[in-house]
């Protein structure tokens, strides 16, 4: 009976939960009060209570709050998708790229921009002139299509965690190579158009992006109680799971659909933010110990916290030329992963 490999854990205590709640509140406040534009705290507080100047209201209500909301939802999507994939594939290195979701979204967005900008609007060479409102939909469609192709390939070969992993790696590599080839052939004058999206960024994210993500967030969270028991059993090999009466293929497929939809929608909205789906589930398990329910809850909370923190760091360090959140999560994700691995030895 093979359970998923995981890092050694320690039991979470009430003070950990309290500390995490306080951290989340302080971080949310910092993300609202701090930014490139220097707004007095009194003015920010006035805006939050229904007053404030027109300029302060514009910055807080139309710039900071929507990007914070989008980041929170995207963080929940990435982390929860990674948790689900790591559980059912029993692969501690699984994240949304395992199902080819990130690569499929990247390729679809690249093709979308290529046709709409380079072919139909050859004079456009700045992000502001792009049909950016359609990028989330294009990314979502590509991510779901890639995940569906990988699932069908694995299903035809005999659905298993190993075959899902192998198909995901193979198809994802092909999709990524094609996308990079298109970007390289696009021309140096236009490469920067898509690089911002590829780096994973909350720049210029509006309430429309948050509203785009919200239905997927609600659907994913509502589905969790339905798949909770199957998810616990899917940690084990198929014969063991079936011995407990689990309809293995059906439940396995449902979990993959949920994880792919969460990941594809997040990638479509903010780009492929790396390491969140990989690191957060491990960090949650480390804090939660053997408590499966608590680790799932912590994954959701930590996903929102880490993306919000990464965006805040990028804004404060980069100032007007802000650092994309994907860069921040990559830089800080590697040492965090190494630290967690060191705890496992």
């Amino acid at each position: 009976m093979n359970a998923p490999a995981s890092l050694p854990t320690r039991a979470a205590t009430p003070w950990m939960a309290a500390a995490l709640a306080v951290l989340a509140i302080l971080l949310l406040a910092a993300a609202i009060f701090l930014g490139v534009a220097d707004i007095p705290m009194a003015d920010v507080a006035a805006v939050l209570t229904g007053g404030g100047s027109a300029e302060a209201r514009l910055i807080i209500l139309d710039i900071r709050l929507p990007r914070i909301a989008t980041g929170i939802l995207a963080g929940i999507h990435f982390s929860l998708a990674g948790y689900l994939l790591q559980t059912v594939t029993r692969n501690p290195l699984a994240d949304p790229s395992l199902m080819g979701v990130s690569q499929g979204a990247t390729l679809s967005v690249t093709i979308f921009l290529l046709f709409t900008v380079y072919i139909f609007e050859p004079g456009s060479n700045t992000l502001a002139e792009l049909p950016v409102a359609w990028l989330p939909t294009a990314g979502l469609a590509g991510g779901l299509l890639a995940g569906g192709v990988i699932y069908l390939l694995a299903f035809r070969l005999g659905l298993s965690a190993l075959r899902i992993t192998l198909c995901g790696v193979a198809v994802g590599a092909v999709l990524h190579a094609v996308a990079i080839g298109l970007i390289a052939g696009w021309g140096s004058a236009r490469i920067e158009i898509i690089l911002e999206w590829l780096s994973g960024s909350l720049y210029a994210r509006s309430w429309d992006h948050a509203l785009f993500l919200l239905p997927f967030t609600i659907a994913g969270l509502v589905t969790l109680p339905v798949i909770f028991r199957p998810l616990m059993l899917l940690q084990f090999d198929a014969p063991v799971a079936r011995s407990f009466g689990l309809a293995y293929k059906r439940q396995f497929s449902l979990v993959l659909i949920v994880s792919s939809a969460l990941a594809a929608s997040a990638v479509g909205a903010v780009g492929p933010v790396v390491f969140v789906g990989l690191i957060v589930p491990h960090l949650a398990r480390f804090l939660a110990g053997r408590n499966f329910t608590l680790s799932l809850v912590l994954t959701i909370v930590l996903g929102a916290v880490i993306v919000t923190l990464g965006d805040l760091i990028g804004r404060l360090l980069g100032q007007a030329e802000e650092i994309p959140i994907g860069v921040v999560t990559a830089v800080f994700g590697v040492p965090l992963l190494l630290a967690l691995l060191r705890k496992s030895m």
Side-chain angles (χ1 to χ4, degrees):
M1 183 169 66
N2 294 327
S6 62
L7 297 172
T9 57
R10 58 182 178 181
T13 57
W15 70 264
M16 287 184 184
L20 185 58
V22 172
L23 173 62
I25 294 173
L26 291 177
L27 183 59
L28 179 61
I32 295 174
F33 281 88
L34 301 178
V36 177
D38 187 13
I39 304 176
M41 296 182 64
D43 290 350
V44 177
V47 170
L48 297 178
T49 55
S53 65
E55 181 182 1
R57 291 180 63 83
L58 173 66
I59 294 174
I60 300 300
L61 300 180
D62 295 334
I63 298 178
R64 289 185 187 174
L65 283 180
R67 74 182 290 160
I68 292 170
T70 302
I72 289 174
L73 296 179
I76 293 173
H77 287 212
F78 282 122
S79 59
L80 188 53
Y83 187 95
L84 297 178
L85 288 173
Q86 288 175 15
T87 300
V88 300
T89 63
R90 302 186 294 281
N91 181 353
L93 297 179
D95 69 352
S97 64
L98 177 69
M99 285 294 292
V101 170
S102 296
Q103 299 91 330
T106 298
L107 179 58
S108 65
V109 167
T110 302
I111 294 174
F112 173 74
L113 293 180
L114 177 66
F115 274 89
T116 57
V117 178
Y118 183 71
I119 294 178
F120 295 107
E121 298 182 43
S124 298
N125 56 17
T126 63
L127 188 63
E129 296 177 10
L130 299 181
V132 291
W134 288 94
L135 290 186
T137 303
L140 172 65
L144 289 178
L145 182 60
V149 168
I150 292 169
Y151 170 79
L152 291 176
L153 287 174
F155 186 83
R156 289 177 62 88
L157 295 173
L159 195 64
S160 71
L162 177 60
R163 285 182 173 140
I164 285 284
T165 301
L166 294 177
C167 288
V169 171
V171 174
V174 172
L175 295 176
H176 181 73
V178 173
I180 294 301
L182 289 175
I183 294 171
W186 197 343
S188 58
R190 293 186 174 89
I191 287 180
E192 65 181 43
I193 298 174
I194 195 172
L195 285 183
E196 181 174 355
W197 184 88
L198 288 176
S199 63
S201 175
L202 290 174
Y203 175 75
R205 293 310 184 264
S206 65
W207 288 115
D208 289 337
H209 293 89
L211 292 176
F212 170 82
L213 289 173
L214 187 58
F216 294 96
T217 310
I218 295 174
L221 295 179
V222 169
T223 306
L224 283 182
V226 178
I227 65 174
F228 181 78
R229 181 179 180 275
L231 189 61
M232 294 184 67
L233 296 177
L234 287 170
Q235 297 178 92
F236 306 107
D237 289 336
V240 177
R242 291 192 182 99
S243 70
F244 286 94
L246 181 71
Y248 187 83
K249 285 189 176 181
R250 184 176 65 193
Q251 297 297 338
F252 192 102
S253 302
L254 177 59
V255 173
L256 288 183
I257 290 172
V258 172
S259 62
S260 295
L262 288 171
S265 56
V267 173
V270 303
V273 180
V274 298
F275 273 100
V276 175
L278 173 62
I279 294 295
V280 172
H282 286 297
L283 183 58
R285 294 189 189 100
F286 175 75
L287 294 175
R290 298 183 180 276
N291 190 324
F292 187 83
T293 303
L294 183 57
S295 67
L296 188 56
V297 173
L298 286 178
T299 295
I300 296 171
V301 176
L302 287 171
V305 167
I306 287 179
V307 170
T308 304
L309 177 60
D311 180 54
L312 180 60
I313 292 174
R315 281 193 285 144
L316 296 180
L317 292 182
Q319 292 298 307
E321 301 295 332
E322 66 180 55
I323 302 173
I325 184 175
V327 176
V328 176
T329 55
V331 170
F332 289 94
V334 171
L336 179 58
L337 177 60
L338 294 177
L340 290 174
L341 290 175
R342 184 178 180 184
K343 293 289 185 180
S344 69
M345 300 176 63

